[in-house]
Amino acid sequence: ALLVIAAGGPCKLWDVIRARVDVTILQLKNITNCGGSILRWPETQYHIWTLLNIEARHLAEDYENRRLGKTAYEAGLAHVDTANAKDAEKARNMMMDAMNQPMLKTLVLIGGGHTHAFVLKMFGMKPMAGVRVVLITRDVLTPYSGMLPGHVAGMYTKEECHIDLVKLGEFANAGLIHASATGIDTKNKLVMLDNGQPPVPYDVLSIDIGCTPATNQIKEITNPESKITRVKPIDGFSARWDAVLERVVSNPEISSGKQKKPFQIKVVGAGAGGVELACSMIERIRSELKKRGKPTEHIEMGVVSRGDDLMGSHAPPVRALFRSILESKNIKIHLGCEVVDVLRLDADEKNEKNKKSAGEGGEGRGGILVCKSGEKIAYDECIWCTSAGAAAWLKETGLSVDARGFLLTNEFLQTSDENIFAAGDCASMRDYPRPKAGVFAVRAGPPLNKNIRALLSNLPLEPYEPQSSFLGIIGTGNPEVAVASKGTMCISAPWLWGLKDYIDRKWMGDYTWVLGPKKQKMAEMMEVTPPQVATGPAALAILKEATMRCGGCGSKVGGSILSKVMARLRKHNVGDIKQNPHVLVGIDSPDDCAILKPPAEGKVLVQTVDFFRSFISDPYVFGMVAANHALSDCHAMGAQTVSALAIAVIPYSSPPVMEELLYRIMAGANKVLEESGCTLVGGHTCEGPELALGFAVNGHVDQDKAMTKGGMGVGESIILTKPVGTGALFAANMRCEARGVDVKNALVTMCKTNKVAGELLSDYGATSCTDVTGFGVLGHLHEMVKASDVGATINLSSVPLLGGAQACIRKGIFSSLHEDNARLRKIIDVDHKLREDTSFPLLFDPQTAGGLLASVASDRAEKCVQALRKSGYPHATIIGSVTARKNGIRVLK
């Protein structure tokens, strides 16, 4: 009875028994495996036993899934030590108890590697009250290195083997800045960025940016004409590999079968990663060629090793086994070939001579690898998979680095600056040097998370000693053959790929599909606890005051914060706040009101206002979007914007945090205001529960040229300048259900000003115009046709949609305003079948910083669209036409 209860029921117990019987048989089959020496038999058998224990869990879960009809594994895997949080933390401690607490400290994470993925997940599950988390990342997708060779072989899609950092950041309630870090000012605690944004301040900083390939100072490696594809940094390798694959399989000489010599692909680097990639690549290339009906015998793969053998860190039986595997795949092995130079065949006459004298490789169309021994190896495509190198900017930080430029850390994962941590491939532990492998980055997640929290809370840090060896299951591009290696153990068996797939998918599940459901469950339970970081009299005073904020002063933000922000904006020339001839008294004056000149003769004054809370994790980008949204009304009228008054709501926090939030939103907003020729002349800031920003905007327009909603004429074409779908996408993003790349692309369009679009529409004689915002396409079109006393026909298939928007509709995710907008469908003439189309609801989707909707004479419309596209509006298109009033609004396919 106890066994049945412990197993979770009789059926589960039977699953466990079956799994144990299976692995016992496997253990017996491998009982003679001694790792090449009878003296190593005990060690080898122990490694086999630990491997089969994991396989037993795999089989038990597999049997249960088959019995229950489940098609996916549960997320998390205890032996990888990344799923223990759900057992170690009680549900009440996982609640978002920090939501209403003032922010006291800022934790900045540079890079979205495996280690930081765990930290982000844990801050989502157990947020620290009083801590604001900011993630700075160059890419929104980060690959799981363990699944990358399988992706190359075609066994995994890109989505299956990449962590979506936008989703993970949303789960962690972290601000996400899409940029690359270029330096650290340790004295002032600032991180420098490459995208024009102001530096990011931190209290505690952690770095996990991976590594770059060690190029040995060979310049040609970075030259795209040399046909060398670098594996590292791995966050962009998927796209680079897709390009290589397409170049190879679409090569006309291969498809014709007339080439005189093989198409040569060389992998430089013969460690486990390089060998596994070579096997995966040749299998995928041959498979793709077969699918296209092309011959495969003209492809030659080779592995170039600087050592005297392959996979030097693995046991002799593993190396011998992979030599035979490579030979079976007709993959050439070049040993003792340390590449010291690369010659491009078309570089100069010297290269031409080298091409003719190239040895065994013959003539290659990419270049020639020159080895230290003097050997020359020609190639058509080269994959560079050598040992890791450090990012160059790390040396310039003043932090201690090792001989190769990696950040040196102590047993607490701290660098030479106690407020800066480092982990993953960019770091080396001073007392525990380990190879650059994904497993060490994964294992470093829990200790890094603990020590970051301890430092933020002024508690003692815990030392960490990484394991000295690790289990490696190495694929061959063929699911029927995989090799397990650890210490003296070497096993090759078909079931190993299933085990590797099980381990990898469960680990990835903890960072992908499980985030949405987990956040939903956490949102249903809320329990506020005192912030751990509330240490010291200053922090305690802020907390005490937070509960007594009276609001009698208009909830204004303190004057010292405002003056500091304005001084920083001027100092860094953000938005270039400068004099405007229309502004007599502006923001530089101590007066309470701005004084503006009236419009010139023939022009009239245009005024508008917009305001909304932030749904964007990067305050700088939010400022840009808020300014664009507010300015858009003037642009839709063809008006020149003149001045703007801002109103900003800042969550009450420590003065430095409040200052930084206000500075970043205003820096982003000022950038957009300047681009539109609009001067910020004043505003109001106040404290509130969440970040919000809005603007009252003034503009001038020629009275007889203003584009209003009421000028549509029958027969005119209807033009839309931007794709729609922001409402659904960001509703899904809040639930961790939107793809990061879709959110990123949506923000690009939202940051695009409508100024030029408005000017072009005016130049092409637009008779009516409005911006598409809260009421959606059909809501704003309804306003236009009603004001113009006409009807309209919309072609649904012509309406440009943001990537991922339809996927949100299919999931049943809509913006909160969608239902109100959709009431208009009662008066829309549309076929019943068309109502079921997933793109139809997006016509009611409320937009933020959406495009312009305008009517233009049909004989000018196409030229107008072309001009819009050339001016930076690639999705501009004709979506319908103006009809007689009696027809109302019709939506056709």
Side-chain angles (χ1 to χ4, degrees):
L2 289 173
L3 281 172
V4 171
I5 293 170
C11 292
K12 261 196 169 184
L13 177 61
W14 177 239
D15 294 334
V16 172
I17 291 172
R18 289 176 66 191
R20 280 294 167 188
V21 170
D22 290 344
V23 298
T24 301
I25 294 171
L26 291 173
Q27 181 92 50
L28 292 172
K29 286 183 177 180
N30 286 279
I31 199 68
T32 59
N33 191 328
C34 61
S37 169
I38 191 65
L39 298 176
R40 310 302 292 270
W41 183 84
E43 177 189 349
T44 304
Q45 287 298 307
Y46 173 74
H47 291 321
I48 294 173
W49 179 76
T50 57
L51 172 69
L52 291 176
N53 272 334
I54 304 171
E55 174 64 0
R57 291 199 290 272
H58 167 217
L59 291 175
E61 188 169 343
D62 219 23
Y63 288 141
E64 181 183 11
N65 283 355
R66 293 179 193 175
R67 176 167 50 82
L68 300 177
K70 294 164 66 176
T71 58
Y73 298 119
E74 295 294 335
L77 190 60
H79 92 278
V80 184
D81 213 16
T82 61
N84 290 343
K86 64 181 180 182
D87 301 320
E89 307 293 347
K90 295 179 181 179
R92 65 177 180 272
N93 293 327
M94 296 180 182
M95 298 303 98
M96 299 177 184
D97 57 343
M99 293 293 288
N100 298 317
Q101 297 287 349
M103 295 294 105
L104 307 175
K105 295 181 180 179
T106 300
L107 166 65
V108 174
L109 306 175
I110 302 178
H114 301 353
T115 314
H116 278 177
F118 181 85
V119 174
L120 284 166
K121 184 189 73 170
M122 289 308 301
F123 266 86
M125 294 172 66
K126 189 186 177 186
M128 290 188 73
V131 175
R132 174 172 170 256
V133 182
V134 176
L135 171 65
I136 299 171
T137 177
R138 178 184 57 206
D139 297 284
V140 297
L141 293 177
T142 185
Y144 174 41
S145 57
M147 298 177 80
L148 201 58
H151 171 58
V152 168
M155 298 174 187
Y156 301 116
T157 64
K158 184 174 182 178
E159 193 170 70
E160 287 176 320
C161 65
H162 283 71
I163 297 173
D164 191 323
L165 292 175
V166 173
K167 283 185 182 180
L168 187 57
E170 186 68 25
F171 178 78
N173 296 305
L176 189 147
I177 298 177
H178 188 206
S180 291
T182 58
I184 302 171
D185 179 350
T186 55
K187 182 180 179 180
N188 296 302
K189 291 189 173 182
L190 296 172
V191 179
M192 311 303 171
L193 305 178
D194 70 340
N195 66 347
Q197 283 205 32
V200 180
Y202 65 86
D203 292 291
V204 174
L205 177 67
S206 183
I207 307 171
D208 179 18
I209 58 172
C211 56
T212 60
T215 61
N216 301 327
Q217 306 300 317
I218 302 173
K219 294 182 179 179
E220 284 298 327
I221 291 176
T222 58
N223 188 337
E225 295 182 9
S226 63
K227 297 289 182 67
I228 294 179
T229 300
R230 295 174 290 170
V231 173
K232 296 169 184 175
I234 63 171
D235 47 15
F237 179 66
S238 175
R240 296 193 293 271
W241 161 244
D242 287 343
V244 171
L245 181 64
E246 183 58 31
R247 287 200 299 267
V248 174
V249 299
S250 62
N251 187 289
E253 293 186 18
I254 295 176
S255 59
S256 65
K258 296 179 180 180
Q259 63 186 67
K260 298 178 181 178
K261 296 193 176 183
F263 188 94
Q264 299 176 88
I265 305 171
K266 303 298 181 183
V267 177
V268 178
V275 169
E276 188 175 10
L277 276 176
C279 293
S280 299
M281 287 174 182
I282 194 64
E283 291 287 348
R284 178 71 179 281
I285 290 170
R286 288 169 179 166
S287 172
E288 292 296 325
L289 288 172
K290 286 179 182 178
K291 286 180 185 177
R292 304 188 187 197
K294 297 180 180 181
T296 61
E297 60 271 17
H298 298 296
I299 300 294
E300 180 186 286
M301 179 71 73
V303 175
V304 182
S305 171
R306 68 178 179 179
D308 297 329
D309 204 349
L310 304 170
M311 306 170 67
S313 62
H314 290 261
V318 178
R319 301 200 293 267
L321 178 57
F322 266 98
R323 282 196 300 272
S324 64
I325 290 173
L326 294 183
E327 289 170 4
S328 70
K329 296 178 181 291
N330 294 318
I331 297 177
K332 286 191 173 186
I333 304 172
H334 304 269
L335 299 177
C337 298
E338 181 180 352
V339 179
V340 295
D341 199 4
V342 175
L343 302 176
R344 272 193 299 124
L345 297 184
D346 58 346
D348 50 36
E349 295 180 4
K350 180 180 178 182
N351 280 3
E352 189 66 27
K353 293 177 182 178
N354 281 317
K355 177 180 69 171
K356 294 178 181 178
S357 62
E360 177 189 348
E363 293 186 7
R365 279 137 292 204
I368 297 170
L369 303 173
V370 180
C371 303
K372 192 174 183 179
S373 62
E375 183 178 354
K376 295 183 175 66
I377 304 171
Y379 67 87
D380 296 285
E381 292 281 351
C382 179
I383 309 298
W384 200 268
C385 189
T386 60
S387 57
W393 66 268
L394 294 178
K395 295 180 182 179
E396 301 169 3
T397 60
L399 301 173
S400 297
V401 296
D402 65 11
R404 295 191 294 165
F406 296 107
L407 293 171
L408 280 174
T409 64
N410 59 19
E411 68 273 26
F412 306 114
L413 300 177
Q414 290 171 302
T415 64
S416 53
D417 185 320
E418 65 177 14
N419 293 309
I420 301 177
F421 294 87
D425 286 353
C426 70
S428 295
M429 294 189 73
R430 189 187 305 275
D431 298 326
Y432 307 108
R434 295 291 185 267
K436 304 299 180 186
V439 66
F440 293 112
V442 169
R443 290 283 194 177
L448 178 65
N449 176 61
K450 287 180 182 178
N451 285 333
I452 284 175
R453 289 170 179 268
L455 185 63
L456 286 166
S457 304
N458 293 325
L459 296 174
L461 277 60
E462 296 183 19
Y464 166 63
E465 180 179 349
Q467 64 200 75
S468 58
S469 62
F470 62 93
L471 169 66
I473 302 179
I474 308 166
T476 64
N478 178 359
E480 297 298 318
V481 182
V483 179
S485 169
K486 184 177 183 182
T488 58
M489 180 186 69
C490 175
I491 296 179
S492 177
W495 57 268
L496 281 168
W497 177 259
L499 175 59
K500 176 177 171 57
D501 179 66
Y502 166 78
I503 293 171
D504 291 340
R505 285 187 185 275
K506 284 179 72 69
W507 188 85
M508 279 295 292
D510 235 18
Y511 300 92
T512 51
W513 61 266
V514 79
L515 297 179
K518 188 175 288 185
K519 183 163 186 176
Q520 181 63 31
K521 289 180 182 178
M522 291 166 59
E524 293 168 0
M525 303 168 63
M526 191 71 79
E527 180 181 334
V528 177
T529 58
Q532 282 183 296
V533 298
T535 57
L540 293 175
I542 291 170
L543 290 177
K544 183 178 180 181
E545 189 177 348
T547 62
M548 302 174 63
R549 305 296 286 178
C550 66
C553 55
S555 298
K556 290 184 70 172
V557 172
S560 62
I561 293 176
L562 286 173
S563 60
K564 286 179 181 179
V565 167
M566 296 312 300
R568 288 175 66 186
L569 290 173
R570 293 188 184 91
K571 178 181 177 181
H572 298 289
N573 201 32
V574 176
D576 193 17
I577 302 175
K578 56 177 109 176
Q579 292 299 319
N580 184 320
H582 297 283
V583 179
L584 299 177
V585 175
I587 201 166
D588 290 321
S589 169
D591 294 283
D592 295 330
C593 294
I595 300 178
L596 309 178
K597 287 182 180 180
E601 187 176 352
K603 291 184 180 290
V604 292
L605 181 66
V606 176
Q607 292 182 314
T608 184
V609 63
D610 268 300
F611 175 84
F612 55 88
R613 67 181 181 85
S614 176
F615 55 90
I616 298 166
S617 61
D618 184 346
Y620 183 88
V621 174
F622 170 56
M624 293 181 67
V625 171
N628 258 333
H629 190 81
L631 293 168
S632 190
D633 288 331
C634 285
H635 296 149
M637 279 198 163
Q640 171 59 53
T641 54
V642 174
S643 66
L645 291 167
I647 181 164
V649 179
I650 310 296
Y652 178 65
S653 307
S654 66
V657 172
M658 293 183 73
E659 177 189 331
E660 188 60 28
L661 284 174
L662 181 58
Y663 172 62
R664 299 194 78 80
I665 62 171
M666 293 312 301
N670 272 331
K671 182 177 186 297
V672 170
L673 292 172
E674 184 202 0
E675 290 173 353
S676 289
C678 186
T679 300
L680 182 67
V681 294
H684 180 80
T685 54
C686 58
E687 297 170 8
E690 53 190 343
L691 192 65
L693 181 64
F695 295 91
V697 181
N698 293 318
H700 298 165
V701 66
D702 288 337
Q703 188 167 358
D704 56 350
K705 291 184 179 180
M707 296 183 292
T708 64
K709 296 178 182 178
M712 300 178 101
V714 175
E716 293 176 342
S717 296
I718 300 172
I719 294 174
L720 181 62
T721 63
K722 288 185 183 181
V724 298
T726 62
L729 270 175
F730 282 92
N733 186 50
M734 291 176 64
R735 297 166 173 79
C736 300
E737 295 287 354
R739 296 195 315 156
V741 66
D742 294 329
V743 174
K744 181 189 77 170
N745 291 337
L747 287 173
V748 171
T749 69
M750 293 160 72
C751 289
K752 177 67 178 177
T753 178
N754 282 325
K755 180 177 185 293
V756 176
E759 292 170 351
L760 285 171
L761 289 167
S762 179
D763 292 344
Y764 278 87
T767 57
S768 180
C769 186
T770 187
D771 61 330
V772 181
T773 49
F775 297 149
V777 172
L778 286 184
H780 288 287
L781 180 63
H782 176 65
E783 292 179 326
M784 295 172 76
V785 298
K786 186 177 179 180
S788 305
D789 198 27
V790 294
T793 296
I794 297 298
N795 300 314
L796 184 60
S797 60
S798 299
V799 178
L801 305 177
L802 286 167
Q806 286 179 280
C808 297
I809 301 301
R810 284 192 289 269
K811 292 179 181 179
I813 299 175
F814 301 88
S815 169
S816 54
L817 191 59
H818 183 275
E819 189 57 36
D820 280 346
N821 289 352
R823 290 175 183 171
L824 193 64
R825 60 177 174 259
K826 297 176 183 178
I827 62 172
I828 303 297
D829 181 9
V830 58
D831 185 82
H832 177 71
K833 290 183 179 179
L834 212 54
R835 291 180 185 270
E836 303 302 318
D837 193 307
T838 53
S839 57
F840 179 69
L842 290 170
L843 295 180
F844 304 101
D845 189 56
Q847 304 300 291
T848 302
L852 300 184
L853 186 67
S855 57
V856 176
S858 57
D859 59 343
R860 297 182 180 181
E862 193 57 48
K863 289 183 179 179
C864 180
V865 166
Q866 294 303 319
L868 286 164
R869 291 177 178 175
K870 289 179 181 178
S871 299
Y873 305 90
H875 301 94
T877 190
I878 298 171
I879 65 168
S881 58
V882 182
T883 62
R885 179 184 178 186
K886 63 179 181 180
N887 295 327
I889 297 178
R890 298 182 63 195
V891 178
L892 305 176
K893 182 60 179 176

